[in-house]
Amino acid sequence: KGEFLAFMSHELRTPLNAIIGFSDIVQQKMFGPDWEKYDEYLRDINGSARHLLSVIDDILDLARIEANQIQLHEQPVMLDEELPICARLAASHYGRTVEAVVVSLPHDLPSLHADARLVRQILINLIGNALKFSPTGIPVEAEARLDAASNEIVLKVTDRGIGIAPEDQSRIFD
């Protein structure tokens, strides 16, 4: 519990500090009339606020899952639209350019029947984690494809990061 609280404290404070810091700069007009710089900071504020909301949603989802009260809102999800958006959001969050994630999609990928918000959350988390642990300058790969044998959509994120310690691999999906 203490480990969880320490982790969540960091996850919540990081975007909140960015929101406060950038909004203070804009509010005080520290750069004089340089509206272009303020627009950039407003985008950072918006991105940090959205990330903070996402972290809070993650916490609430975890509580709902543990209470066996999660509700899925299934609908067609177009991965050819969602995957590039999630890649851009994750790259932006980690201060990387859009080129930091190479997205690979076939032109005829069917829609996925799933909860769109949870699919986005999964993709952003996977891509973000890959970016977090990958060296700068080496792109992360994100792909979606249809497995012909099983007729299932396969989502794959590949990075060149440090990997997971062997002693932790057995409990990764607990």
Side-chain angles (χ1 to χ4, degrees), residues 120-141:
R120 279 185 217 109
Q121 185 176 351
I122 290 167
L123 289 171
I124 290 170
N125 287 347
L126 286 173
I127 296 167
N129 192 60
L131 288 166
K132 182 177 180 179
F133 293 104
S134 289
T136 304
I138 300 176
V140 165
E141 299 165 21

Side-chain angles (χ1 to χ4, degrees), residues 41-158:
Y41 282 4
L42 288 171
R43 284 191 296 277
D44 290 338
I45 291 168
N46 186 276
S48 294
R50 289 178 185 278
H51 176 66
L52 182 57
L53 179 61
S54 171
V55 170
I56 292 168
D57 283 342
D58 288 352
I59 294 167
L60 295 174
D61 283 346
L62 183 59
R64 284 187 205 107
I65 290 168
E66 287 184 354
N68 203 21
Q69 295 179 344
I70 189 132
Q71 293 180 353
L72 298 178
H73 302 284
E74 295 182 22
Q75 63 189 48
V77 178
M78 302 304 295
L79 291 171
D80 59 336
E81 296 171 7
E82 293 296 333
L83 191 55
I85 290 169
C86 293
R88 281 194 308 275
L89 288 172
S92 172
H93 176 71
Y94 284 97
R96 307 272 185 99
T97 63
V98 71
E99 291 82 21
V101 183
V102 176
V103 175
S104 208
L105 293 159
H107 68 280
D108 58 350
L109 188 67
S111 65
L112 174 68
H113 189 75
D115 186 303
R117 186 181 67 80
L118 293 176
V119 169
R120 279 185 217 109
Q121 185 176 351
I122 290 167
L123 289 171
I124 290 170
N125 287 347
L126 286 173
I127 296 167
N129 192 60
L131 288 166
K132 182 177 180 179
F133 293 104
S134 289
T136 304
I138 300 176
V140 165
E141 299 165 21
E143 74 172 284
R145 63 178 172 78
L146 183 64
D147 183 304
S150 66
N151 201 34
E152 294 176 337
I153 293 177
V154 176
L155 296 170
K156 184 177 174 183
V157 176
T158 306

